[in-house]
Amino acid sequence: MIEKNEFYDVEFIDMTHDGMGVCKIEGFPVFVSNALKGEKAKIKIIKVNKSFGFARLVEIQSESPFRKEPICDHFYECGGCNLMHMNYQMQLDFKKYRTKETLKKLGKIETHVHETVGMINPYYYRNKSVIPFGEINGKMVSGLFKSRSHEIIDMKKCYIIPKITTDIVKYLKNVFVELNIPAYNELLRTGVVRHIIVRNSYKFDDISVTIVTFTNKLPKKEIIIKKLSSRFKRVISIVHNYNPDNTNVVFGRKSRILFGEDFIKDEINGVKFNISHRSFYQINPVQTEELYKKAIEYAAVTSDDVVIDSYCGIGTIGLSVAPYAKTVLGVDIVKQSIDDANSNASNNGIKNVKFVVGKAETVIKSWKNYDVDVLFVDPPRKGCDKVFLETIAEMEIPTIVYISCNVSTLARDLNYLQAHNYEVVEVTPFDMFPQTSHIETVTKLKYNKY
Ligand SMILES: C[S@@+](CC[C@H](N)C(=O)[O-])C[C@H]1O[C@@H](n2cnc3c(N)ncnc32)[C@H](O)[C@@H]1O
């Protein structure tokens, strides 16, 4: 039996889904951050559970040839970029391996998993940054959460958000300090500023900034607007959101537009989009274009086809595919996203689309009588609702293209569809979130009635 605080010499034989090294001590699995498969090291046990333990890396005795020195100063305290100690090719291989293993183990699916599609420059890619504010020893801090905690690290630089976003965050922090506007204190439930959300357009210069406060009013808002908009000309939208709740959810229910419009413009594969501050939008625009190209290739839509874009957000997939289809139907649960989807359709002169607000699992039933040729599925991390899966199984749709940001729920849903005559033809992982262990995949399914 292993004991806390004891030292062991080990060899790492595998990696967990979130990039920890896995070793075994007398058959007992132990997980270690910042360790790579194939490495030998001395570790110190920090926690022992019933069937597994955690340890700290003390000294690497034999280093993996795929190890890379993390370029970020915050790597060892921030939990965000948990693969930054792997070179980029190893990150891509790791994601392919995790996809294949998870589909096999959780979904009993043996299919062709392609190489992960990576980025030429896997840094500074996030078009949306959610930055928490807090105070440490009376000093305002903003930036990143410490790994597995609610403690904020004062961000000097972050390698996955655009440089201008870091500049805006630092500038606003100085403005708040100068104007005596304190950060929110979640323990005492006092103070003002909770978060700043910065959204950057990829194809245009547009930037929007949302300031989330604990208080109903944003003090000295005229001064803040003037300073921010004159210092950063690219900021064309400033929104104040009020969140008085004792919660980890970032946005509260009420928002007020303080400056400009409530949206920024962007473009994906030639289609223009307006994105308002609450709508879902993929966070890596370079990879989104590649992901959608693959999804459209898998769908092989023709001009006679009826297409459904379920979990459609602001309609990005549906509007990209509409020029090739007869009709596109889209559904999303967020009204603001559907409003954006409809105005995006008319702004692009696309008429063969219909977007409706609702739960995909409810609305899909009302579309059962359409002769649907292609279904796009792009649910949140928890995957599809059981009723949704049951309905699409009954609909016997010739082609399904399933886009997923969580391979575990993907495996569960594909397992169900496979058991209902859908063949999992192939899967392509996309590196939408370089340096982190998150995996995005596109899967092609065909209906085969035996
Ligand atoms: C991963 S996003 C995909 C959005 C869009 N396809 C895209 O590529 O930008 C998932 C979307 O599902 C929506 N959603 C979550 N639960 C839903 C449900 N039960 N029914 C319909 N939409 C839902 C969210 O509002 C979000 O827009």
Side-chain angles (χ1 to χ4, degrees):
M1 185 63 193
I2 66 165
E3 299 268 346
K4 192 175 165 182
N5 291 330
E6 279 186 5
F7 292 85
Y8 292 90
D9 289 333
V10 297
E11 179 167 356
F12 294 97
I13 52 168
D14 203 354
M15 309 282 304
T16 62
H17 70 97
D18 54 356
M20 290 177 121
V22 181
C23 59
K24 284 197 175 168
I25 301 167
E26 294 156 23
F28 188 81
V30 176
F31 307 130
V32 185
S33 288
N34 187 24
L36 296 180
K37 186 176 173 183
E39 289 187 330
K40 292 182 180 164
K42 185 180 283 303
I43 60 169
K44 183 179 182 186
I45 305 295
I46 49 178
K47 193 170 180 186
V48 184
N49 290 337
K50 213 167 153 209
S51 48
F52 57 89
F54 291 95
R56 184 169 60 74
L57 202 57
V58 177
E59 188 194 3
I60 302 174
Q61 292 151 343
S62 155
E63 198 177 274
S64 164
F66 308 111
R67 177 172 282 278
K68 183 172 187 267
E69 186 56 34
I71 54 174
C72 180
D73 286 351
H74 301 302
F75 173 77
Y76 294 98
E77 43 177 0
C78 166
C81 293
N82 52 354
L83 302 191
M84 213 181 225
H85 59 305
M86 295 180 184
N87 72 23
Y88 193 48
Q89 187 55 49
M90 184 181 181
Q91 292 186 24
L92 300 177
D93 293 344
F94 168 77
K95 291 184 185 192
K96 175 183 171 179
Y97 166 76
R98 291 283 348 149
T99 303
K100 220 172 155 53
E101 283 294 296
T102 312
L103 291 180
K104 197 155 77 183
K105 280 193 186 141
L106 298 184
K108 314 258 176 303
I109 291 152
E110 301 273 359
T111 188
H112 185 61
V113 178
H114 293 273
E115 297 299 321
T116 309
V117 178
M119 297 186 76
I120 292 170
N121 177 17
Y123 298 106
Y124 306 112
Y125 56 83
R126 283 192 73 103
N127 61 11
K128 179 182 169 191
S129 312
V130 180
I131 310 288
F133 276 65
E135 246 165 51
I136 297 179
N137 301 329
K139 195 172 158 265
M140 188 179 246
V141 290
S142 63
L144 318 153
F145 282 119
K146 261 192 186 168
S147 177
R148 295 185 178 86
S149 93
H150 251 228
E151 216 178 300
I152 297 168
I153 303 166
D154 205 22
M155 178 177 74
K156 284 189 257 168
K157 182 169 178 174
C158 172
Y159 283 87
I160 60 170
I161 69 177
K163 289 173 187 159
I164 189 162
T165 298
T166 308
D167 291 345
I168 289 172
V169 172
K170 286 184 176 172
Y171 179 78
L172 270 180
K173 187 175 75 174
N174 288 337
V175 170
F176 295 144
V177 170
E178 187 189 311
L179 298 178
N180 257 320
I181 301 172
Y184 171 59
N185 181 320
E186 67 179 354
L187 292 177
L188 302 175
R189 298 194 34 81
T190 55
V192 178
V193 183
R194 296 178 76 130
H195 285 91
I196 285 178
I197 297 98
V198 183
R199 254 188 163 162
N200 314 59
S201 172
Y202 170 51
K203 291 283 164 73
F204 302 98
D205 276 344
D206 298 6
I207 292 177
S208 76
V209 177
T210 304
I211 302 167
V212 183
T213 64
F214 174 61
T215 47
N216 187 15
K217 290 208 168 124
L218 172 63
K220 301 175 190 163
K221 67 172 189 254
E222 283 80 15
I223 307 176
I224 298 170
I225 297 165
K226 193 154 179 245
K227 279 180 175 281
L228 183 61
S229 58
S230 52
R231 168 70 180 76
F232 296 95
K233 296 288 179 216
R234 287 176 57 190
V235 174
I236 55 133
S237 169
I238 305 175
V239 177
H240 169 217
N241 177 270
Y242 165 46
N243 186 357
D245 299 337
N246 192 0
T247 171
N248 289 340
V249 176
V250 173
F251 284 107
R253 275 192 293 273
K254 275 199 222 156
S255 290
R256 302 179 191 96
I257 301 160
L258 302 182
F259 175 77
E261 309 261 19
D262 174 24
F263 61 81
I264 56 168
K265 299 185 294 305
D266 210 348
E267 189 181 307
I268 305 173
N269 294 331
V271 186
K272 291 196 171 57
F273 295 99
N274 286 350
I275 308 137
S276 45
H277 74 286
R278 294 294 293 270
S279 293
F280 178 89
Y281 188 60
Q282 299 285 354
I283 57 112
N284 183 332
V286 177
Q287 291 296 82
T288 300
E289 290 205 320
E290 300 310 312
L291 178 90
Y292 287 179
K293 279 184 201 155
K294 182 56 77 183
I296 291 169
E297 177 199 314
Y298 280 176
V301 170
T302 66
S303 55
D304 294 331
D305 285 351
V306 175
V307 177
I308 291 179
D309 179 7
S310 56
Y311 307 89
C312 67
I314 60 168
T316 37
I317 297 174
L319 292 169
S320 303
V321 88
Y324 313 107
K326 184 168 139 205
T327 311
V328 176
L329 305 166
V331 55
D332 198 280
I333 203 167
V334 175
K335 183 181 177 303
Q336 184 65 63
S337 295
I338 291 299
D339 290 347
D340 284 357
N342 283 319
S343 60
N344 288 330
S346 66
N347 291 346
N348 286 283
I350 297 174
K351 297 202 170 65
N352 57 339
V353 293
K354 184 179 155 200
F355 294 107
V356 296
V357 185
K359 289 185 180 171
E361 53 273 26
T362 311
V363 174
I364 193 81
K365 288 189 194 155
S366 65
W367 291 340
K368 256 177 101 171
N369 295 332
Y370 284 95
D371 209 358
V372 178
D373 300 285
V374 176
L375 170 71
F376 289 97
V377 183
D378 187 6
R381 288 187 62 74
K382 66 178 182 195
C384 297
D385 186 277
K386 188 80 191 289
V387 175
F388 180 84
L389 293 174
E390 284 165 4
T391 313
I392 63 174
E394 285 169 25
M395 286 169 80
E396 304 185 356
I397 300 166
T399 305
I400 296 180
V401 179
Y402 191 138
I403 298 165
S404 162
C405 56
N406 182 340
V407 277
S408 302
T409 54
L410 174 74
R412 180 200 65 201
D413 292 351
L414 293 186
N415 177 273
Y416 180 90
L417 292 171
Q418 187 172 255
H420 291 80
N421 297 337
Y422 284 97
E423 177 198 347
V424 181
V425 182
E426 56 187 301
V427 181
T428 305
F430 278 80
D431 198 17
M432 293 290 266
F433 316 100
Q435 319 304 332
T436 81
S437 54
H438 293 285
I439 307 174
E440 185 90 11
T441 52
V442 187
T443 301
K444 178 178 174 176
L445 297 110
K446 281 263 167 229
Y447 188 76
N448 286 326
K449 191 148 196 161
Y450 298 108

